[in-house]
Amino acid sequence: MMVSFVISLFLISSLTSFYSTHALNIVIAGGTGKVGRLLSSTLHQQQQNKEDDNNNNTNNSKITILCRNAFLASTPTRVSGDFGWLGESFLNQNYSIRLRDWDGGDLLDIVGCDWMGWQDDVLPDADVIVNLVGGYTQQRTMACERLVRESLARCKKPNVQHILMSMDDEDLKISLKKKRAKECEDMLIANCLNVACLRAELNDVQRACDKIMDVIVKYKSNQEMNE
């Protein structure tokens, strides 16, 4: 617990300077779950804290969550357990977070009302693409493939940071789920220039968020060194 607490304090300190000089466009696929909720709200809060210190909002980062049904994800109360949900009050509090329908990689199972054009809407200016799509079914592999293919075709930055978070093999247990997790990791490594494939325990939401934040901070630092 103490190690996790120290890591979190370090990341908060790092992100304070992180937001002071550069605004990132961060895309989070599958961000309506527990990790996505914590990650997006942490990104929003760090951004707002720095803006309050500087009394300006000139460095607003964009945080876009790709979800299969933005309407259901933003209702005041949860109406379906089949889709991710953040809630109206969460989005009002974390107002820099934007929801965007997408196809989830499966064009035969589209449930959002406004999914067309998501690629051109969110990918061209993306700095960081975080893949939190869960389930470990074939749909997860399809979603990963969709993100990889569309990002290669549309992202303006050749070194966009791809981050894939998966559960530890011990939590996946079933060999088929382990295989699909590995397939997605291999797909990113084989096709993308800048990749971080991360693992975390099933219920350790804070640790998963901390690992993702650490990659984002390092990416930002490298960007500054190359400018």
Side-chain angles (χ1 to χ4, degrees):
M1 290 293 293
M2 179 60 69
V3 173
S4 179
F5 177 71
V6 171
I7 292 174
S8 297
L9 287 179
F10 168 76
L11 290 171
I12 289 173
S13 175
S14 299
L15 282 168
T16 299
S17 60
F18 164 76
Y19 276 113
S20 64
T21 58
H22 184 65
L24 290 184
N25 290 325
I26 301 173
V27 179
I28 307 173
T32 54
K34 293 180 180 179
V35 176
R37 173 184 287 267
L38 180 58
L39 175 64
S40 59
S41 61
T42 301
L43 288 166
H44 169 84
Q45 190 57 55
Q46 293 300 321
Q47 172 182 309
Q48 299 312 311
N49 287 345
K50 194 58 190 179
E51 288 175 6
D52 291 341
D53 291 341
N54 293 340
N55 294 317
N56 67 74
N57 59 358
T58 58
N59 287 319
N60 283 349
S61 291
K62 293 182 180 179
I63 306 166
T64 303
I65 292 179
L66 297 177
C67 54
R68 299 189 66 209
N69 194 306
F71 174 76
L72 293 179
S74 59
T75 53
T77 57
R78 190 165 194 168
V79 298
S80 173
D82 294 330
F83 302 99
W85 179 76
L86 293 174
E88 184 180 50
S89 61
F90 174 86
L91 294 170
N92 287 340
Q93 182 179 0
N94 300 279
Y95 46 84
S96 65
I97 299 172
R98 172 193 173 213
L99 300 183
R100 181 66 167 90
D101 282 336
W102 76 310
D103 53 56
D106 189 352
L107 296 176
L108 299 179
D109 188 28
I110 297 171
V111 294
C113 297
D114 189 27
W115 62 273
M116 294 184 66
W118 67 268
Q119 311 96 313
D120 296 318
D121 189 18
V122 304
L123 292 181
D125 295 321
D127 294 287
V128 179
I129 300 174
V130 183
N131 187 350
L132 299 178
V133 177
Y136 299 92
T137 63
Q138 184 62 28
Q139 196 274 331
R140 186 180 198 261
T141 305
M142 294 168 66
C144 184
E145 180 181 0
R146 184 76 160 149
L147 284 172
V148 169
R149 183 172 64 251
E150 297 296 346
S151 66
L152 290 173
R154 288 172 169 80
C155 288
K156 297 177 182 177
K157 300 176 178 66
N159 64 334
V160 60
Q161 176 70 63
H162 287 264
I163 303 173
L164 174 64
M165 174 58 72
S166 304
M167 287 192 296
D168 287 339
D169 278 351
E170 291 183 1
D171 291 315
L172 290 173
K173 298 180 181 179
I174 301 174
S175 59
L176 181 58
K177 291 184 177 181
K178 295 178 182 179
K179 178 182 177 182
R180 284 174 175 154
K182 185 66 163 54
E183 285 177 349
C184 291
E185 292 174 339
D186 291 343
M187 190 187 307
L188 279 178
I189 294 170
N191 292 281
C192 302
L193 179 64
N194 201 6
V195 174
C197 296
L198 309 175
R199 295 291 186 107
E201 295 180 5
L202 174 60
N203 295 315
D204 198 345
V205 176
Q206 183 64 61
R207 180 59 175 160
C209 181
D210 288 347
K211 285 187 174 183
I212 296 170
M213 286 292 199
D214 188 37
V215 175
I216 295 175
V217 170
K218 290 177 180 177
Y219 171 80
K220 170 60 173 58
S221 177
N222 290 335
Q223 291 296 102
E224 286 186 339
M225 291 176 60
N226 294 328
E227 287 179 355

